Structures are given as structure tokens and as C-alpha cells.
Amino acid sequence: MKKLVIAYSGGLDTSYCAVSLSKKYEVHAVSVNTGGFTKAEIDKIETNAYKMGVSTYKNIDAVATFYNKVVKYLIFGNVLKNNTYPLSVSAERIIQAIEIIEYAKSIDAEYIAHGSTGAGNDQVRFDMIFQTLAPNIKIITPIRDEKLTRQQEIDYLKTNGIDMSWEKAKYSVNKGLWGTSVGGSETLTSDKPLPEEAYPSQVKHAEEEKVKLTFKKGELVAVNGVENEPEINIETLNNLASAYAIGRDIHVGDTIVGIKGRVGFEAPAALITIKAHHLLEKHTLTKWQLQHKEYIASFYGMHLHEGQYLDPVMRNMEAFLQSSQDKVSGDVTVTLKPYHFSLDGISSKHDLMSAKFGSYGEENKGWTADEAKGFIKIFGNQNKIYQQVNSNSDD
Amino acid sequence: MKKLVIAYSGGLDTSYCAVSLSKKYEVHAVSVNTGGFTKAEIDKIETNAYKMGVSTYKNIDAVATFYNKVVKYLIFGNVLKNNTYPLSVSAERIIQAIEIIEYAKSIDAEYIAHGSTGAGNDQVRFDMIFQTLAPNIKIITPIRDEKLTRQQEIDYLKTNGIDMSWEKAKYSVNKGLWGTSVGGSETLTSDKPLPEEAYPSQVKHAEEEKVKLTFKKGELVAVNGVENEPEINIETLNNLASAYAIGRDIHVGDTIVGIKGRVGFEAPAALITIKAHHLLEKHTLTKWQLQHKEYIASFYGMHLHEGQYLDPVMRNMEAFLQSSQDKVSGDVTVTLKPYHFSLDGISSKHDLMSAKFGSYGEENKGWTADEAKGFIKIFGNQNKIYQQVNSNSDD
Amino acid sequence: MKKLVIAYSGGLDTSYCAVSLSKKYEVHAVSVNTGGFTKAEIDKIETNAYKMGVSTYKNIDAVATFYNKVVKYLIFGNVLKNNTYPLSVSAERIIQAIEIIEYAKSIDAEYIAHGSTGAGNDQVRFDMIFQTLAPNIKIITPIRDEKLTRQQEIDYLKTNGIDMSWEKAKYSVNKGLWGTSVGGSETLTSDKPLPEEAYPSQVKHAEEEKVKLTFKKGELVAVNGVENEPEINIETLNNLASAYAIGRDIHVGDTIVGIKGRVGFEAPAALITIKAHHLLEKHTLTKWQLQHKEYIASFYGMHLHEGQYLDPVMRNMEAFLQSSQDKVSGDVTVTLKPYHFSLDGISSKHDLMSAKFGSYGEENKGWTADEAKGFIKIFGNQNKIYQQVNSNSDD
Amino acid sequence: MKKLVIAYSGGLDTSYCAVSLSKKYEVHAVSVNTGGFTKAEIDKIETNAYKMGVSTYKNIDAVATFYNKVVKYLIFGNVLKNNTYPLSVSAERIIQAIEIIEYAKSIDAEYIAHGSTGAGNDQVRFDMIFQTLAPNIKIITPIRDEKLTRQQEIDYLKTNGIDMSWEKAKYSVNKGLWGTSVGGSETLTSDKPLPEEAYPSQVKHAEEEKVKLTFKKGELVAVNGVENEPEINIETLNNLASAYAIGRDIHVGDTIVGIKGRVGFEAPAALITIKAHHLLEKHTLTKWQLQHKEYIASFYGMHLHEGQYLDPVMRNMEAFLQSSQDKVSGDVTVTLKPYHFSLDGISSKHDLMSAKFGSYGEENKGWTADEAKGFIKIFGNQNKIYQQVNSNSDD
């Protein structure tokens, strides 16, 4: 039988695929952990995978890869899609797709399968990454092609001896390092918020808590003084802040296929890290660095969202972003509160707000009143000329 | 004596100016209300102005002008400087400067005075607007030129028979329609937050409250179903939300004179209106409208902040923004909570998220699986070609 | 029989379509003149159309529409794709598609056909415009679907009694108001230029000739003092400049389908008008108008090229561009020479380069040396602070 | 006496400065060669410098530095200010200022002098670079401060024993690697072109000549197959192309001080290199690389022009640009003709226009007609939805 690699999550859809494809192919199931799985969950997925008849199962730990290849740049760029969404799932899918296709190439698979429907973004990300990195490996997508109902899938599995409980959760949840997405009947409407219980974390602490985040060249290198790899620090921050139910929101965005989509999410570490990092940048970067970063970061987010991660322009943007982080080092203090957080302030030896050079609105140490007047006069020169040239012209 | 118009706020600095200038000029004091003054406060300013020896005093009600000339576009653009600050003061100063210089021209004044120091943004905004709209009216700035201490000013006033209480408030507060700025000893540091009491509003309501905001072509035309002029609605929203102490933050930004400045603010209506408006846009605008609006709005904010309001490019940007609002009509429901708010959702007949055209990730009503595959194949064409062309090249 | 409208050019492909479709449908042939056809050519197309068996033939004169809906904004934006190509064909196709689908709707056609292949941009433009403006009219594309060779088409026509000479021209030429595109065997390579004879115009005049172009709010209202509609003036300029073989170049661009495409063109009026208009703008617009117009115009060109003309963001951009032209009025003198042209200069009452305000590098009338020094000191403030803060830090 | 370094060109202004400053300071004259000087010219400048009474004279050869620090990135970005001017002088001044201030620091000078007037850009560039890199070295600018006439300077020199011929050339010319600027009475008007004789080069060859330019990662590494350092290749190309009087134009731009300025230039190598490099990029870069490079390059040019070279954002942009050149390698053939040139085509192993993947408009090898239809259907999805949602709504 020909080798096939399947992106396997253990849910109903990929279980159906695993079972049905195993009849024709030598199926190698792969799941990629980008921060959402515990060891116990992975073990359970593995056990189930073999029940579905796959030849091998492999879990790839891609948390560090995920951070280094994508999340890092999302932080450098303070990327929030439509000023809201940290692109949690969009970013994960890219790395998952890359890891899976590389695995497929490494075992000389002829086929690769994924469980996406034809209605969303994931199919685009998977197909595009697969086709680009391995144009000769054929893609198989039973869910998209066959358009079965859940019941039909369950029945099929039962017929094939898989009698598990496939009860549909009220809310579909996708968990990862950079955030958890939450879909439900409400997110299919435009007007309804998700209820409290739809979110994975609930408020456990009522009292405020201060957290010190330490950045070095834009990377989160310590939380409360404890140094660790950035991806570990993000996880630590997720744990601290989810006790306050921080980081919930609903994103409404443009899918790659042209329709609007709405999804709830809970991303405490992502939102806090980005806001803290941005504050540190406001103190350490120049006006033009802040301005041009906006353009770069906005398009970086758009292209990533749309599955264009392999476009070389992404590497060019990453070079810009990396270069911009040279002085983004220092501490940021954040106060966690139920459902929200605030930024206390920063401390950095690269802080450009130094009383040595004058205090805004208070004292001009670096220049005289006359120099200020000269500045303003010439700074406003063009508008003055424009006004005078055009003041008495009719057209 | 020659006519001089002074931008008069009633504070120590402009009182000093009024008294000292009245010795040499026929002083006409003007204050411009952009939403910060009550009738009682204006009356008090007027009474005091005459005590300072001015010839006339005039309060110009510019709330509607402020809304129509600037605030409207800040909403259309969802403008938050550095993703934080609604440009409350920056925007006010522009309109105040325009109103004052137009008044000065209308009474044929030869001089115009303002009380800004040489250390901040306001001097730039006042000077630039004055010079551009009335190049022949000479500008006088005693505070900037003389660099007196508060005590010297108080002594001078006392010597001249003005013995009022000039005790310095612990926090300097500037109130307006679009927000209240708060400065204090903490904002002169990089690391300290403002204490609770520094903010003008405190939490009065513990229970959540839902508010329905109705937008028509991007303008806030009703609050909870009550129609009114947008500037009135903003004030209503300010009142509702300040009971929850919503809208506090600290802005760190680049001043026009090159130093970094930090200022606290409380802007409940501004933040809620912008977030609600933006959500409505996410449902009603196309992807490219959302994307290009970001560029326009970001620079609109920068130029406004830097006093370039009279640059004709601002009119060009306003034309873009106005045009983009054609379908931004509908209701947005917001939930107010202590210190923060959340957006429930929207309802609009222009909503592009319609189940009629498919549901994100669930069902592709508008296209088949094969069409999706064709789309992805060609959408990813260039990256595939790039990868193949460059896969085995060394340099 | 059911009504079908076909976009008919009279070439082999659309002739094949007309004949074969007439067997099953009541075929209404339409050609849209966007500046490429003479009366004689249209008459010939009409005669031939009826030979192909169509029920009716109609030529729509869309030259003025073409100018008013697209060309005008391409001039306002000085749009040259990849800094080279005036988007001649891209722009024409959009207007042709709109005119044809509107015609189809007006006669209640159920089908619409075009002769594009599956390899290029035109299919995207036609399909997208058709589907957007008339989602219920079905699209038929025999050439794309059947993939016939030229010989098969010729044979089919002969079998059906159409025995015309279909010899393939060495160069395929598409003529329109905004330029003529030229494709040939050389444009299928990356390294070969088109030979002299491939271009429609050859040098007739050796002596230089000066042309005065008059713009009013960005529109070309007169050539050499003779006022006329802008589209007529463009045609006049085409005639004047093609006698010098001006405006030839080869464009290499990204097709909508992801491959690179190369096409020669000759667009004398487009290139001269854009360069002259841009020069006038450099004199009459502010720095920021020129800067932001670049962003808008570049994306306007991209979206137009990719068939997104109906995206409402295009209307928003047009509002910006229209607004920016308020003062772009005046005369520009151009010197035509064999194969190239140069711009002599401009004359405008809105010219911001007025000796009254100082002469660049020579004399500073509007400010003193001290004011200049003050300006520079503060203008450079942030970089100075940055350098000092970071001068002795290691990381 | 205290040490002073003067930026010395040997012209009347800097000669006046050298003589008058030598009375009070120990003057060290420095000239920086960014490509404009021959050995003989430098020797003459040196001889004259000593006549003016300076203590030492030094010529710094900065041609390679100029290329590596600025010109390289201007090529990577295809930077033409206002789509016209290669920023020849703007770029030179920056490097000259850096070299001079570094020299002043190396000899512990307390003062630094330059001969700029108060009316132009150069004063801003010199002052800003000096102040940023050496805030403690005081700047002296006799020409700006004293506002002498030429005659007064000549008389002063004569009185001090310097009786040289200072006849004013009809055209002031500034020569450098990246172009020669030409100012004259015509450039002080808006309507007059420079006459033929104002330009330094005249047509010597009537016959066309082909030149092969070889780029490696964006750098011009060979001309006609002869490898050399890029700055040498640029000089070679300048020599080849100036025999055809190629590269003349007039730039109208916004000075840093707000007025418009007009200057003629002749920059054959700059224009040819940029156009050839850009063509190679059109073949080797993706659509999004080309698009985002435009934004970066446009602002890179603006900031460079305005003396902001030391802003760290310039390093970030250079990182982007450098990264984008990874595959920009290959040959470009250019045909030189009297007064103009044309690009024949390119050859590159990174060429994305490969018939292997289909030929534009001719044959779709990489996809089927159905796939193309699927692509178009979904690509146009949002506009279709927009149109349907909004088709029958009134507001």
C-alpha cells in the first residue's frame, strides 16, 4: 500500500479520515503540538489513532519552532489582526502544515491528508504549504470532498468497529501557545456574545497582582525575574493571567475565501505580551520606527493569516522587524485584574524619555524659546506658503 | 492701544499673561469650549478675566465645530495614536487655535497671545495655525519667553492686586469632549502608573449595563435609541461610561519637538465609540477598505497630532474616510463593566457576514470543494513557482 | 432559444465562439470601443458578426466612459504599474466588462460569453465583473473550456461556411485610448526586446516639437491651447507623439493567476500625460500630498489590474485622488523628440515654488539664520537623544 | 588656538570661511571625495587650502564608503525621489558630514565649520549629523550667519592677499558618483528647461551600443562581463553612458525647510542601474516583495533626503532591502542611444517567468480551466457578497 501521512487531531473528522483512508493506504498519523496538548492528551490521541487502524502515530513537539518561526515576529510587530486578534490559530496552522509536510517528505509518503472542510481558512493554509514545499505529494481531503454529516461519520465509524462517544461539544475549542479559539452557535451570528461559560478560563483571583515582564531585544526572557525560554515564559504568563480570565474577545475577520468569519478567543499571554512589548517600544523606538513598523506588521499579519508564510516577502519583513528590536530591552510592569489588565510602566536603559533632555510640556532643557520659535516657523513653512499662494485663487 | 487677542483659560499662566499684557495692549480674552466647560465654569472664567484687566471676554462654543471638523474623522479612522490615545488634547488645540485666530481676524487684532511653554506640543499647534491663517498677526508668548516660576507669576499677580488662590493641583487636568488628560508627578516618570484618585471619574456602578449605539454612515446618531447630534451622544456616552471608570490609560508618545512625553487620560466615550465603530466596520467594509483605512488613519493621526491640520492632505484623507463610511450603519451593543467594557455584537443591513453566503469553517454554500481547490491552487501559484525556481540554486 | 450576449472582437477566437454558440443560443454580439476602433473597423466587425450567424450586433462607444471611470484616476494617481506600464489593457477590460454585462442585463440575457483563455488576466476581469454585477447570468467560455488549437478553430469555421483569412499576425496588438499592447514571440522570452517593426508607430518627424498641455483640477483640458474633452485631448496627444515613436516599453508584471507576464506597449499620450501631470503636482501639492498619493495610487493600480474595480475601496481611493486635484491646474510644456520627450517646465498660479518665499539654497527670505538653526536643532532632537541614550550601551 | 575642522570645497564660500576662521582658530580643512574629484582637482584644492592659511588639509576618499553606506540601498530600493531624482547630492552630503565629523572627533577639534547658506537642505544635513554624532563640538557657519554678497567675500579675500579668479560659473555644478547636479538661472524659474550646454556631457556617439550589466544579490558586480567593485562599475557605466548624454532631467522637490526647490541633474549610471536593477527584480521577486519594497524605498528616500540617515529606522529599512535582494542576480542588457536608453531584457536562473509554469495569456500548464474558474469565483467572493448585500439598500 502507498504511504499516506494524515494530519490527525483525534476529533471525529480526522478519525473518520484515518479509518477510511487506512483501507487503501498505509496511514501515518501525525499531530503537531503548538502548545495546546498535555502529555496525557497526546497519549490518548496516540491510543485512539491506533484504534483507527493507522500504521504509525507521531506527535511532533513544535512549541519552540512555533515561537521561533512565527510568534516571535508577531510580538516584534505587535500584530493584532483588525486590532483585535493575535492570529493564534492562523499562525499555528502554518507551522503544523510545515512540520507535517516535512515529516511526509522524510518518510517518502506519496499522499498527504487533512480534515479541513471547504468552507474555511485551514484548507487554504494546508494545501498551499503542502503544494509549495512538496509539489509531488498528492493531497487528499475526505471531509471537504465528501461533505458528510456528523451522523454519517459516526455511523461509518461504528460500522468499522469504532464505537466512541463523539458527542459534539457545545463549543469547539482550539488551544495553543498563542491563544485558544472558541466557536459556538453565537459566533455564527453577528450580534450575540459568547456566554461566560464558553471561555475555557474563569476568574479565580479577585485581588490584583503585579507581574514583571523582562524583554531583551524584543523577546520575553523572564517573568517576575525568572529567566526561561520565551515560549516557556509565554506559557507561564498564560497560567498567571488566565486565573483572571484576561484576554477574551471576539474577532470578526475576512477569511481567505472572501466571507466574513467570527470567532471567540481567549489569549491572555498574547494580549499582555503584545501590549507590554508595545509600551516598551514606545519608550525605546523613534517615531519613524514606530510608524513604519505599523505598515510592516499589518501586512505581515495579513499575509500570515492568508497562508502566505512562505512568500519570501515574509523573510524580508522579519529582517526589518528583527532589526527594529535592537534596543527593545527592559522591564514592563503589568497589573492583572479580573477580566482586564493595565500597564504600570517600564524601566529601560534605552528609554528615550529621559528628563535629561527636557520634560514634555514642562521644561525645555535642550533648546531655547527662540529655537522653538525658529523650529515652528520653518516646520510650518509649506502650509503657510500653500495658504498664501492659494488664498485668493478661485479654482 | 493696539488690539491683542489672548487664548485665555483662567489658569495661572494665562492670568499672568492677561494682567501683564493689559498694560500695553487692549486685551481681548477668548476661551474656546471644546466640551470641557460647564456654564458655571465659563461664568467664573469670565468674571476672573475682567479682574485681570482685559477689555472684553468671549467664550466660543465650539463643541459642534470640534466634532464636525475633527472628531468625526477620528471616529471614521478609528484613530488611536500608538494604538492607545484618542488624541483628545491634540485635536482640541487645533480647533481652539482656529477659532481664536478667526476671532482675532474678525476684530482686526494686531497681536495674538497664548500661554504655552517652550517645551511641548501646544506651542507648535498654536503658532502654526496662527501663522498659517493670519501671517500678519504677531504672536506673543510670555510664558515661553520669560520662563518664570509659578511663584514669580503669583507674586506678580499679587503685586497687581490679583490675590487669588493659585494652589497647584496635584494633577493637571484638561477636559474636553473627546477625553480628559491627566498629568502629575507620575507621568514625568516612565515606570509609575497614575493612582486611582488622579482620574476624574470613579466607579459608581458595580452592575453591568448594556448600551446600544446606533451609527449612520459612521456617525453616532443615537444612544440607547435616543437620537441626537453626534456630539451630544458622545457626551451622553461619556456620562454613562464614566460611572464605570472606563477608558483610563497612559499614553507615551513622540512630541513634535522630538522628546517622548507621557500623559494619563480618561476617555470613555472616545474609546467605546471607536471600538464599537470599528466592529461595525469589520462587518460592513471589505478587506481592502479595512486595510487601506489603517494607513490613512494612522497618518491622519500623526499629522493632526503634529499640528498639520491645515495641510491639504488632511482634506484628501477626510474625503477617503468620508467615502468609506457609506455603509457603516447599524447598531452595536456594548456592555459596560467596572473599569472595562466589551462588545456584544452588531446588527446591520449592510453586514457582509451573512449565512446566506456560507458560514466560516462550517459550510461552503457559494462554492464547491473543487472550486475551493482550484482557488487555492492558483492563489498559491507564485509561491510554488518561486520555491521550484529557487529550490536548487545556491545563491 | 435562450439569449446570450458575447463579447465580440472579430478575431478568430470570438468568431469561433459566435458561430458555435449561435447553434444553441440567440447570440447578441457586442463590442465595446475604448478608443481602439475606427468607424471603418467597427463596420467591418459588424459585417463579419452577422456572417457568424449572430442575431444582433452592437458597438458600444465607451471612450468617454472609459476616461471618466478609470483613466482620469490613473492620471490623478500618476499610475504606472511597476513604474512602467500605464495599465492600458487592464483598465480597458474592466470598462468593457461593465458595459457588456449592463447590456446583457438590459436585454434580459440568460448567458454571457467571452473568448478568454484560462491562462491570463482577462478571464479573471470578465468573470469577476460579470458575476458581481449579474450573479444570475451564466458565463460561457468556449476557448478556455475547449482548449482548441487555432487550426481546429479555423477548420470548424470553414466547415460552417466561414472561409476567411485568419492568418496569425506576427504580433498581436490591442489598441485603446490609453495605449496599445504588443505581444509576440519575443515577449514570451525574458531577454529579447521587441523589434522596431513590432510597434505600431514609426518615427515620422526628426525635428523637436513643443506641446503645451493645460490641466484643470488634474484633467487635461487643452492641448496647445485648444480646449476639448480630456479623452479627445488624449487622442490628439497620441497622434502628435506617435509621430515620434514615443512611449514604447516592455512591461513585466505579476498576473492575477500568479505567473509572470511580459508585454510590449506603445502609449505615448499616457506616458506624456502622466509625467506632465506629475510635474505639475510637484509644484502645486504639498510634500505629504505627494507622499500619500503614492500609497493610494500604487494600490489603486494593483487592485484595478487584478479586476477589483468594483471593490468599494476603489471609490474611497478615487475620493482621495479627486480631492487631491483641487489645485492641480496650469500649463506644462513638453518637448517631443524621436523616441523620447522631456518636460520643459510648468506655469501655474498655484505653484508653491515662488521666489517670494525664498529660493532654494540661495536666499532665505522667510526666516533668519537663527531660526534655521533652531529648526534644525529641534528637528534633529530625537536622533540626538537616541544616540546619546544608546551610545554607551552594549545591548 | 582652538582646533576647528572645516568642510572645504575650494569654492568662494569655503575659501572665505577658511581665511576668516584661520584668524581665530587652528583650521583643519577637509574635503570628502564621493566620486566627484580627480587627483588633479584634489591637488589643486590642497594647494589653495594652504594659501587660505589652514594648518592642515586632508582629502578623504569616501567613494567606497558612499557606495556601501547609501548608494547600495538606493539601488536595492530603486529610489528615485518623486519618481525622478536619484538623490545624488542628498546622499553625498550625508556621507561627507559623517566623514568630516568623525575626522573632527579623531583630532579632538572643538569646532566644526561648513559653508552652507540658511536657505537650503545642506545646512540641515550637516548640522544634524554633526550634532548627533558629536553633540559637544560647536558648529560655525559664517555664510549662513553673515549673509555676505559674493563681492564682499571676494573683497575680503583680496584684502587678505588672496587674489584668485572667482568668476561665477553660469551653472553651479556638483559632481559625484551618483550624479551631477546643475543649478542656474533657469532652475530658479518653474517654466524654463536647462539649455543643452548647461549639462556637463554632450552626445559623442550616434550609434547604439549594448551594455550588459551583471547583478549579484542586487549589486552591480560586472559591466560587459568585466568584474569589479560596484562603485567602480558605476563609474564605468557613467563614462559609457555620458557619451550619449543619457540621464538628464530636472527635479522639483520639497526642501527640508518647506519651500520647493528645482535642480537639473545628469545621472546616467544612477538611472540606468536603477532601471536595470528594477527590471531584474520584476522577474525575480514576488508581487508582494515588489509592492512592499515600494513603501520602504519611498520613505527611505524621504528620510535620507531630509537628513535622517542616523535614525535607526534607516537600519531597519536597510535590513528589509538587503534581505529582499537574495535572488536578484542575473544579467540585464541595456541599449544606449543618444539621450535615452532602453532595456532589452534579462537572464537569471531565479527568473520566475518560466514557460515551464505556463505562458501568460497563451497556455495554462499549471492548472485547468475548471481550476481557473474556481479561483476566480472565490477570488471575487467578497465583492459579490458586498454587491448583493448592498444592492437594494438605500443608505
Side-chain angles (χ1 to χ4, degrees), chain C residues 3-57:
Chain C
K3 276 190 191 169
L4 176 148
V5 163
I6 182 169
Y8 180 73
S9 71
L12 175 61
D13 283 344
T14 56
S15 295
Y16 168 81
C17 295
V19 171
S20 63
L21 293 170
S22 291
K23 295 184 186 301
K24 295 201 291 181
Y25 305 95
E26 179 188 310
V27 173
H28 299 269
V30 183
S31 55
V32 181
N33 183 11
T34 45
F37 298 113
T38 61
K39 177 80 177 65
E41 285 164 336
I42 293 167
D43 288 347
K44 194 178 157 203
I45 292 171
E46 175 159 19
T47 307
N48 284 343
Y50 285 110
K51 283 188 194 158
M52 305 300 154
V54 307
S55 297
T56 69
Y57 167 82

Side-chain angles (χ1 to χ4, degrees), chain A residues 89-311:
Chain A
V89 174
S90 322
E92 278 182 46
R93 288 295 175 271
I94 299 299
I95 297 305
Q96 289 165 351
I98 292 173
E99 291 291 318
I100 291 167
I101 195 70
E102 292 301 343
Y103 179 73
K105 284 160 77 175
S106 75
I107 66 165
D108 290 321
E110 274 183 71
Y111 295 88
I112 191 153
H114 64 83
S116 307
T117 71
N121 289 321
D122 286 349
Q123 59 171 341
V124 187
R125 293 167 188 145
F126 278 120
D127 282 17
M128 273 178 64
I129 299 279
F130 291 171
Q131 288 169 2
T132 303
L133 293 182
N136 296 320
I137 297 183
K138 283 172 279 300
I139 301 171
I140 292 178
T141 53
I143 305 303
R144 178 167 61 184
D145 294 347
E146 302 174 16
K147 290 193 120 186
L148 304 173
T149 63
R150 281 184 63 86
Q151 196 51 53
Q152 288 172 310
E153 290 178 12
I154 292 168
D155 292 347
Y156 178 88
L157 287 174
K158 206 173 285 178
T159 309
N160 283 274
I162 312 290
D163 196 0
M164 295 168 64
S165 161
W166 296 109
E167 217 170 319
K168 190 178 179 177
K170 197 165 171 198
Y171 294 99
S172 67
V173 165
N174 184 93
K175 202 180 165 217
L177 178 75
W178 205 231
T180 301
S181 66
V182 183
S185 62
E186 294 88 353
T187 54
L188 296 176
T189 73
S190 293
D191 61 337
K192 293 190 187 57
L194 282 168
E196 184 85 13
E197 65 271 19
Y199 290 99
S201 307
Q202 301 300 326
V203 173
K204 292 182 200 151
H205 298 345
E207 269 165 54
E208 295 187 0
E209 177 180 349
K210 288 199 186 290
V211 179
K212 188 175 80 173
L213 303 180
T214 304
F215 291 90
K216 192 164 178 182
K217 292 188 185 293
E219 299 197 62
L220 182 60
V221 294
V223 174
N224 284 331
V226 182
E227 292 189 14
N228 223 322
E229 293 301 309
E231 62 272 20
I232 309 285
N233 296 329
I234 290 167
E235 203 45 71
T236 303
L237 186 56
N238 264 329
N239 292 334
L240 284 171
S242 63
Y244 291 91
I246 286 170
R248 297 174 177 181
D249 209 340
I250 293 192
H251 169 60
V252 182
D254 296 290
T255 63
I256 317 172
V257 291
I259 58 172
K260 297 277 182 184
R262 193 167 178 247
V263 66
F265 65 88
E266 181 181 292
L271 291 178
I272 293 171
T273 304
I274 283 175
K275 290 295 181 190
H277 173 267
H278 195 188
L279 181 61
L280 187 57
E281 285 196 332
K282 292 179 202 177
H283 281 272
T284 56
L285 299 189
T286 65
K287 161 186 151 181
W288 284 114
Q289 288 185 295
L290 291 165
Q291 187 66 25
H292 296 319
K293 280 184 78 250
E294 274 189 27
Y295 174 92
I296 293 290
S298 174
F299 274 104
Y300 188 84
M302 178 197 270
H303 298 324
L304 180 73
H305 171 72
E306 298 190 354
Q308 311 264 22
Y309 177 79
L310 296 175
D311 193 305

Side-chain angles (χ1 to χ4, degrees), chain B residues 328-344:
Chain B
V328 186
S329 302
D331 295 331
V332 185
T333 306
V334 181
T335 302
L336 308 181
K337 311 168 193 181
Y339 300 113
H340 66 120
F341 65 95
S342 61
L343 301 173
D344 289 10

Side-chain angles (χ1 to χ4, degrees), chain C residues 157-228:
Chain C
L157 288 174
K158 206 173 285 180
T159 309
N160 283 274
I162 312 291
D163 197 2
M164 294 168 66
S165 162
W166 296 107
E167 219 171 317
K168 190 177 181 180
K170 196 164 172 201
Y171 295 99
S172 68
V173 166
N174 184 92
K175 202 180 165 215
L177 180 72
W178 205 230
T180 301
S181 66
V182 182
S185 61
E186 293 89 354
T187 56
L188 296 176
T189 73
S190 292
D191 61 336
K192 293 189 187 56
L194 283 168
E196 183 85 12
E197 65 270 20
Y199 290 100
S201 306
Q202 301 301 327
V203 174
K204 291 182 204 154
H205 297 347
E207 268 165 53
E208 296 187 358
E209 178 179 349
K210 288 200 187 289
V211 179
K212 188 175 79 172
L213 303 179
T214 303
F215 291 90
K216 193 164 178 183
K217 293 189 184 293
E219 299 197 62
L220 181 61
V221 294
V223 174
N224 285 331
V226 182
E227 294 189 13
N228 223 322

Side-chain angles (χ1 to χ4, degrees), chain A residues 80-84 117-121 123-125 127-128 131-133 135 141 144-145 147 168 187-193 210 250 252 254-257 259-263 275 278-279 281-288 290-292 294-295 298-299 302 306-308 310-312 338-340 343-347 351-353 357-364 367 369-370 372-373 375-377 379-380 382-384 386-388, chain B residues 80-84 117-121 123-125 127-128 131-133 135 141 144-145 147 168 187-193 210 250 252 254-257 259-263 275 278-279 281-288 290-292 294-295 298-299 302 306-308 310-312 338-340 343-347 351-353 357-364 367 369-370 372-373 375-377 379-380 382-384 386-388:
Chain A
L80 293 175
K81 190 84 184 94
N82 288 2
N83 208 8
T84 302
T117 71
N121 289 321
Q123 59 171 341
V124 187
R125 293 167 188 145
D127 282 17
M128 273 178 64
Q131 288 169 2
T132 303
L133 293 182
T141 53
R144 178 167 61 184
D145 294 347
K147 290 193 120 186
K168 190 178 179 177
T187 54
L188 296 176
T189 73
S190 293
D191 61 337
K192 293 190 187 57
K210 288 199 186 290
I250 293 192
V252 182
D254 296 290
T255 63
I256 317 172
V257 291
I259 58 172
K260 297 277 182 184
R262 193 167 178 247
V263 66
K275 290 295 181 190
H278 195 188
L279 181 61
E281 285 196 332
K282 292 179 202 177
H283 281 272
T284 56
L285 299 189
T286 65
K287 161 186 151 181
W288 284 114
L290 291 165
Q291 187 66 25
H292 296 319
E294 274 189 27
Y295 174 92
S298 174
F299 274 104
M302 178 197 270
E306 298 190 354
Q308 311 264 22
L310 296 175
D311 193 305
Y339 300 112
H340 66 118
L343 302 172
D344 289 10
I346 69 107
S347 161
D351 188 359
L352 300 180
M353 192 177 100
F357 307 105
S359 298
Y360 168 54
E362 304 263 328
E363 206 183 347
N364 41 317
W367 62 93
D370 280 341
K373 289 188 218 173
F375 168 71
I376 298 165
K377 191 164 189 181
F379 186 61
Q382 192 167 71
N383 281 330
K384 270 173 272 178
Y386 181 90
Q387 198 76 15
Q388 284 178 56
Chain B
L80 292 176
K81 190 86 184 93
N82 287 3
N83 207 7
T84 302
T117 71
N121 288 322
Q123 60 171 341
V124 186
R125 294 168 187 143
D127 281 18
M128 272 178 65
Q131 289 169 2
T132 303
L133 293 181
T141 54
R144 177 167 62 182
D145 295 346
K147 289 193 121 185
K168 190 178 180 179
T187 54
L188 296 176
T189 73
S190 292
D191 61 336
K192 294 190 186 56
K210 288 199 187 290
I250 293 192
V252 182
D254 296 291
T255 63
I256 317 172
V257 290
I259 58 172
K260 296 277 182 184
R262 193 166 177 250
V263 67
K275 290 295 179 190
H278 195 188
L279 181 62
E281 286 195 332
K282 292 179 203 177
H283 281 271
T284 55
L285 299 189
T286 65
K287 161 186 149 179
W288 283 115
L290 291 165
Q291 186 67 26
H292 296 319
E294 274 190 27
Y295 175 93
S298 174
F299 274 104
M302 177 198 270
E306 298 190 355
Q308 310 264 22
L310 296 175
D311 193 306
Y339 300 113
H340 66 120
L343 301 173
D344 289 10
I346 70 106
S347 161
D351 189 0
L352 300 179
M353 191 177 102
F357 307 105
S359 298
Y360 167 55
E362 304 262 328
E363 207 183 346
N364 41 317
W367 61 92
D370 280 341
K373 289 188 218 172
F375 168 71
I376 298 166
K377 191 163 187 180
F379 186 60
Q382 191 167 72
N383 281 330
K384 270 173 273 179
Y386 181 90
Q387 198 76 15
Q388 284 179 56

Side-chain angles (χ1 to χ4, degrees), chain D residues 37-221:
Chain D
F37 298 115
T38 61
K39 176 79 178 66
E41 285 165 337
I42 293 167
D43 288 347
K44 194 178 157 204
I45 292 172
E46 174 159 21
T47 307
N48 284 342
Y50 285 110
K51 283 190 195 157
M52 305 301 154
V54 307
S55 296
T56 68
Y57 167 81
K58 186 178 167 69
N59 178 270
I60 298 171
D61 183 342
V63 179
T65 304
F66 181 41
Y67 171 77
N68 283 300
K69 284 197 163 175
V70 186
V71 171
K72 187 171 73 174
Y73 300 109
L74 294 176
I75 297 172
F76 290 174
N78 310 309
V79 179
L80 292 176
K81 190 84 183 93
N82 288 4
N83 208 7
T84 302
Y85 177 54
L87 291 173
S88 325
V89 174
S90 320
E92 277 182 46
R93 288 296 174 269
I94 299 299
I95 296 306
Q96 289 165 351
I98 291 173
E99 292 290 318
I100 290 168
I101 195 69
E102 292 302 344
Y103 179 73
K105 285 161 77 175
S106 75
I107 67 165
D108 290 319
E110 274 184 72
Y111 296 89
I112 190 154
H114 64 81
S116 308
T117 71
N121 289 320
D122 286 349
Q123 59 170 340
V124 186
R125 294 168 187 145
F126 278 120
D127 281 17
M128 275 179 63
I129 299 279
F130 292 170
Q131 289 170 1
T132 303
L133 293 182
N136 296 321
I137 297 184
K138 284 172 278 301
I139 300 170
I140 292 179
T141 52
I143 304 303
R144 176 166 63 183
D145 295 347
E146 302 174 17
K147 287 192 123 185
L148 303 172
T149 61
R150 282 183 62 84
Q151 195 52 51
Q152 287 171 312
E153 290 178 15
I154 292 170
D155 291 347
Y156 178 89
L157 287 174
K158 207 174 285 180
T159 308
N160 282 273
I162 311 291
D163 196 1
M164 294 167 67
S165 162
W166 296 108
E167 218 170 318
K168 191 178 180 178
K170 196 163 172 201
Y171 295 99
S172 69
V173 165
N174 183 92
K175 202 179 166 218
L177 179 73
W178 205 231
T180 301
S181 66
V182 183
S185 61
E186 293 89 353
T187 56
L188 296 175
T189 72
S190 292
D191 61 336
K192 292 189 187 59
L194 282 168
E196 184 84 13
E197 65 271 19
Y199 291 100
S201 306
Q202 301 301 326
V203 173
K204 290 181 204 153
H205 298 346
E207 270 165 52
E208 296 187 358
E209 178 180 349
K210 288 199 186 289
V211 178
K212 187 175 80 173
L213 303 180
T214 303
F215 291 89
K216 192 165 180 183
K217 293 188 184 293
E219 299 196 63
L220 181 61
V221 294

Side-chain angles (χ1 to χ4, degrees), chain A residues 256-258, chain B residues 375 379, chain C residues 124 128 256 306-308, chain D residues 287 374-384:
Chain A
I256 317 172
V257 291
Chain B
F375 168 71
F379 186 60
Chain C
V124 186
M128 274 178 63
I256 317 172
E306 298 189 354
Q308 310 264 23
Chain D
K287 162 187 150 180
F375 167 72
I376 299 166
K377 192 165 188 180
I378 295 178
F379 185 61
N381 225 350
Q382 191 166 73
N383 281 331
K384 270 174 273 179

